Amino acid sequence: MSVALGIDFGTESARAVLVDCAHGSELGTSVEPYAHGVIDARLPAPDDDVELAPDWALQDPRDYVRSFQVAVRRVLADTGVVPDDVVGIGIDFTSCTMLPTLADGTPLCEVDDLRREPHAWVKLWKHHAAQPEADRINAVAVERGEPWLPRYGGRISSEWFFAKALQILDEAPEVYARSDRLIEACDWIVWQLTGVESRNACTAGYKAMWSKREGFPATDYFAALDPRFAHVVDEKMSRTLLSPGTRAGVLSERAAAWTGLHAGTPVAVANVDFHGSVPATTVTAPGTLVMIMGTSNGHLLLGEELVHVEGMCGVVEDGIVPGYFGYEAGQSALGDIYGWFARTIGATHEALAADAAKLRPGESGLLALDWWNGNRSVLVDADLRGLLVGMTLATRAPDIYRALIEATAFGTRVIVDAFERAGLPVDGIVACGGLPDRNPLVMQVFADVAGREIAVAGSRQAPALGAAMFGAVAAGAAAGGHDSIGDASRSMAHLSGTSYAPRGEHREAYDILYGEYVRLHDLFGRGGDDVMRRLKRLQIEAAAAPAPA
Amino acid sequence: MSVALGIDFGTESARAVLVDCAHGSELGTSVEPYAHGVIDARLPAPDDDVELAPDWALQDPRDYVRSFQVAVRRVLADTGVVPDDVVGIGIDFTSCTMLPTLADGTPLCEVDDLRREPHAWVKLWKHHAAQPEADRINAVAVERGEPWLPRYGGRISSEWFFAKALQILDEAPEVYARSDRLIEACDWIVWQLTGVESRNACTAGYKAMWSKREGFPATDYFAALDPRFAHVVDEKMSRTLLSPGTRAGVLSERAAAWTGLHAGTPVAVANVDFHGSVPATTVTAPGTLVMIMGTSNGHLLLGEELVHVEGMCGVVEDGIVPGYFGYEAGQSALGDIYGWFARTIGATHEALAADAAKLRPGESGLLALDWWNGNRSVLVDADLRGLLVGMTLATRAPDIYRALIEATAFGTRVIVDAFERAGLPVDGIVACGGLPDRNPLVMQVFADVAGREIAVAGSRQAPALGAAMFGAVAAGAAAGGHDSIGDASRSMAHLSGTSYAPRGEHREAYDILYGEYVRLHDLFGRGGDDVMRRLKRLQIEAAAAPAPA
């Protein structure tokens, strides 16, 4: 039997899965939490007197290695899979999660005189303290008319690579100066496995403004941000970017010893969790939208050509599947909104959904704007906030729960409409992530509102399966893997058999409600009424004022 | 000792209170529920096979008499007050609560062949099934340019007298034909006590479009509604209307025997609960707004002249205190909104208020429109609905509770501003009703938002105290009572000593938030965006559609 190993590095833990290359059977899974989890209040002991400012979120790179070691050893032991059978290894990671290292890959936070310096640690994707740098990146790009800006919906996030890198330069120039490399954590872990530095095209394209045809932004642009930043790419990064599925190298003697796997086992170039999930849901060609539905919602779509889609997160040639442009959009909160409501009123999702499922479209009398965590697509505005309208004294908790679900479905329909307006057809939808199994009501409402059938992916761990599939491609068919991600997908990816068809009798009411949603969306989201932004400013000012008497 | 007896006929019970005329000490109170409460599903046994349509709300007039008998006997026994000491009797009632009777005052529902006819019963104030008639009353009034319409903020409610009367004619012409009298329940109970029919100017003015100077609408107007309705006033009502405090008559032998009180005890003309409360809060002159804060909020203000205030419920000369124009405005939900929220999330007011009190203005990040039960003043639109904006994943239940309180306070500020714009100063505010004692946070936020000190009335039962005061005026000073409601108020009404001063440090933030409130209020309430109305229509259509598959 030929087996591929996939490791999904999430926010809290690493998940190792062994997958049969011929049929995609998931032979076993093992999850190992990071010892230090998310570091957002103070550095780990013995340096826990170093406090972090609000919005910081760090990790310890050593946790990645340890969780890899434990999870892989355990999944091998649990399944009885022998090293001879493991033909390839792939990994996926959160992104943009990045760190500064020495030339040999040693993280700066492991250098003695730097370990008490927060900027020497890994900045996790949700580190949100680089907003001033993101603002500068955007302002200078607009001023110079940078050609890459439209590929990112006109706005670069504070979560992305150069915002984080520039924050190091701004706030800790010594750390910046001593960084030989600035690198995505996904590329760093592949470096640890192979002993060789490699860079992947996916994170470079989605998070570092790189494109296959134009490369990185020009040196002049970086110089305009800060003269010391002019040569950041050549000094601390690499202009060689490898497409998903490319072999990054083979397992080194040192890394092989961690788990008992054979040295020389092929290792794929790193990938991002969302993007690597796409072929794992059976999608390797245009026309089918992949939704990764969890606390947030990611929307990924392949296209033949480069077009500009309003408010998308990014478009990268070969970024998801070689040969296609990979488009990404998203909603910054999905399950998080339903969870917020259930938690606030102290009810279970099951009880709320049971009552909410009995409602006809419009029967709640409510309409919401689903911006509890801002709006990622198509408005790209983190300052937007939630809205709920239509309450009476007879409004019940399940009415509100239903309205929140409908609002997120309308938000997805806005994204689907934007794709189609740009010339990218959305004929079908496949959903993966944690939510489809847990909340059938959400799936049915999404199908009704989108007017499209939604199929549910077969794997409950699409990112890890995707990582294993890219590992199989790194191995190649001759070694028991596959020669392309298309081949791997056809053999190893499956749908669950569960799908949600739109109900025609709900079409008209949802079309009317969607019209109302779009009008409020444009009123509050496109500058007609800026009350949300002003409420946010007032809230920040109030929180900073003296306590009330 | 001279004692006045006040009886407050509420929605669920009658409350009898004995008050010392010299100092206003409340000697004792007794509450007796109505045996049949609110009749809103089916008629009482043995006719409980007769079902009522939605929005109907009836009462049994016999319940009023029985509760009066029980409560008065009990309060006399409990206090030891002897009939010799009782110098006068006053009553107040919900309004418009009305019924059809024979010429001798026998309610039609007590006539054998009519008792199974719902239209023969008392229509309670919250009977909401006469909307088609109210629509006709408004349309015809607008078409004819009726001069009285502006006194009611341009719109007559379905709760009011002629809407209910016209519904009887429309739906049960036989009941209408056999009605010798159509009468407010408050006047009917005074008739039962004195044996003589009398009519009060307060309900006539506020609920039946009467004014001291112009009388009732013209016969032509009533004929335009329905030719059979042309002479409703002369056939079934009276053009003699008595001001508050006037003596309606004296206790009859029959009614005296019910309780042991002396026949011949003066009985005041009937009054309305809200309006009778005003002198009981010490207010008998212009400049001080009285708020009656309970499930809803009533705003009463006296003025020297007749002016038009936007969206007021009504203005009646001598309607509250003789010699002044009495202005009424209101918010159709107050405690009901806070109660809705506490119930929906399963928390106590105490717990929510404790956390909400720690917030600075603006710190919740939220803003609401307080229209959970429509908007009474100044928009006069029952179709409006609630709105909440500004939610994030960090929003907590106390944040929402605080925003709901602030929204109701902003709603009151809109009313205060409307009074002042019309030339009626609001220099101070006195609050009564159930809420001021129960929820100090609400009172403080109202004071902060209004920028005015709010004094709390001394009595926890202002309507019953007011009724007793008008009873004392009906007796007159020579008999141990008082010669004017001003005299009665100075002797018998008190403030509690508790008052809430506006906190200057919150002024600026609340001015800013109020500006935001007014903008959203005008946007959604004045036709800029009619989403609330459309959501209501969709909800009604959805509820009527077949159940979902």
Side-chain angles (χ1 to χ4, degrees), chain A residues 336 340 358 360-364 372 386-393 395 516 519 529 531 534 539 542 545-548, chain B residues 336 340 358 360-364 372 386-393 395 516 519 529 531 534 539 542 545-548:
Chain A
D336 268 354
W340 169 86
K358 296 177 192 150
R360 304 166 184 87
E363 195 174 357
S364 72
W372 266 247
L387 180 142
L388 185 65
V389 60
M391 289 76 84
T392 73
L393 296 172
T395 298
E516 299 289 340
R519 221 193 46 265
D529 191 304
V531 63
R534 286 192 297 270
Q539 185 178 36
Chain B
D336 268 354
W340 169 86
K358 296 177 193 150
R360 303 165 185 88
E363 195 175 356
S364 72
W372 265 248
L387 179 142
L388 184 64
V389 60
M391 289 78 81
T392 72
L393 295 172
T395 298
E516 299 289 338
R519 220 193 47 263
D529 190 307
V531 63
R534 286 193 296 271
Q539 184 178 37

Side-chain angles (χ1 to χ4, degrees), chain A residues 333 336-337 340 343-345 357-367 371-373 385-397 400 503 505-506 512-513 516 519-520 523-524 529 531-532 534-535 538-539 542-543 545-549, chain B residues 333 336-337 340 343-345 357-367 371-373 385-397 400 503 505-506 512-513 516 519-520 523-524 529 531-532 534-535 538-539 542-543 545-549:
Chain A
D336 268 354
I337 299 180
W340 169 86
R343 195 173 63 245
T344 301
I345 70 160
K358 296 177 192 150
L359 292 166
R360 304 166 184 87
E363 195 174 357
S364 72
L366 302 175
L367 183 63
W371 303 340
W372 266 247
N373 196 20
R385 298 185 157 209
L387 180 142
L388 185 65
V389 60
M391 289 76 84
T392 73
L393 296 172
T395 298
R396 305 160 312 126
I400 299 174
R503 292 176 294 190
E505 69 272 26
H506 289 176
I512 293 170
L513 280 168
E516 299 289 340
R519 221 193 46 265
L520 291 182
L523 174 64
F524 289 103
D529 191 304
V531 63
M532 295 172 183
R534 286 192 297 270
L535 286 173
L538 279 174
Q539 185 178 36
Chain B
D336 268 354
I337 300 179
W340 169 86
R343 196 173 62 245
T344 301
I345 70 160
K358 296 177 193 150
L359 292 166
R360 303 165 185 88
E363 195 175 356
S364 72
L366 303 174
L367 182 64
W371 303 339
W372 265 248
N373 195 21
R385 298 186 157 208
L387 179 142
L388 184 64
V389 60
M391 289 78 81
T392 72
L393 295 172
T395 298
R396 306 160 312 126
I400 299 174
R503 292 176 292 191
E505 69 271 28
H506 290 175
I512 293 171
L513 280 167
E516 299 289 338
R519 220 193 47 263
L520 291 182
L523 175 64
F524 290 102
D529 190 307
V531 63
M532 294 173 184
R534 286 193 296 271
L535 287 173
L538 281 174
Q539 184 178 37

Side-chain angles (χ1 to χ4, degrees), chain B residues 369-435:
Chain B
L369 291 175
D370 51 316
W371 303 339
W372 265 248
N373 195 21
N375 177 294
R376 191 172 294 160
S377 301
V378 300
L379 299 170
V380 199
D381 190 338
D383 288 346
L384 295 177
R385 298 186 157 208
L387 179 142
L388 184 64
V389 60
M391 289 78 81
T392 72
L393 295 172
T395 298
R396 306 160 312 126
D399 297 322
I400 299 174
Y401 190 74
R402 173 87 180 204
L404 296 177
I405 291 173
E406 289 171 344
T408 53
F410 294 142
T412 280
R413 185 162 163 186
V414 167
I415 290 168
V416 169
D417 284 357
F419 278 132
E420 295 219 308
R421 256 200 322 275
L424 299 169
V426 177
D427 302 321
I429 301 177
V430 181
C432 64
L435 214 131

Side-chain angles (χ1 to χ4, degrees), chain A residues 298-500:
Chain A
H299 300 79
L300 300 171
L301 186 67
L302 300 173
E304 308 273 1
E305 291 174 24
L306 177 66
V307 294
H308 288 156
V309 184
E310 185 194 6
M312 72 189 144
C313 305
V315 49
V316 176
E317 188 172 2
D318 301 342
I320 298 175
V321 170
Y324 294 111
F325 288 87
Y327 291 85
E328 181 187 3
Q331 293 175 278
S332 43
L334 185 75
D336 268 354
I337 299 180
Y338 320 145
W340 169 86
F341 183 67
R343 195 173 63 245
T344 301
I345 70 160
T348 66
H349 288 281
E350 291 68 25
L352 289 167
D355 277 346
K358 296 177 192 150
L359 292 166
R360 304 166 184 87
E363 195 174 357
S364 72
L366 302 175
L367 183 63
L369 292 176
D370 51 315
W371 303 340
W372 266 247
N373 196 20
N375 178 295
R376 190 172 295 158
S377 302
V378 299
L379 299 170
V380 199
D381 190 339
D383 287 346
L384 294 176
R385 298 185 157 209
L387 180 142
L388 185 65
V389 60
M391 289 76 84
T392 73
L393 296 172
T395 298
R396 305 160 312 126
D399 298 322
I400 299 174
Y401 190 74
R402 174 86 179 207
L404 296 177
I405 290 172
E406 289 172 344
T408 52
F410 295 143
T412 280
R413 186 162 161 188
V414 168
I415 290 168
V416 169
D417 284 357
F419 278 132
E420 294 219 309
R421 256 199 322 276
L424 299 169
V426 176
D427 303 321
I429 301 177
V430 180
C432 64
L435 214 130
D437 281 333
R438 281 203 310 272
N439 203 324
L441 173 63
V442 169
M443 303 312 296
Q444 185 60 57
V445 170
F446 268 65
D448 290 346
V449 167
R452 288 167 172 85
E453 182 153 349
I454 303 180
V456 178
S459 177
R460 296 182 174 218
Q461 43 194 357
L465 170 60
M469 286 165 55
F470 281 110
V473 176
H482 295 282
D483 282 339
S484 72
I485 191 65
D487 288 350
S489 183
R490 276 181 291 278
S491 298
M492 299 172 70
H494 306 282
L495 295 176
S496 66
T498 300
S499 71
Y500 296 86

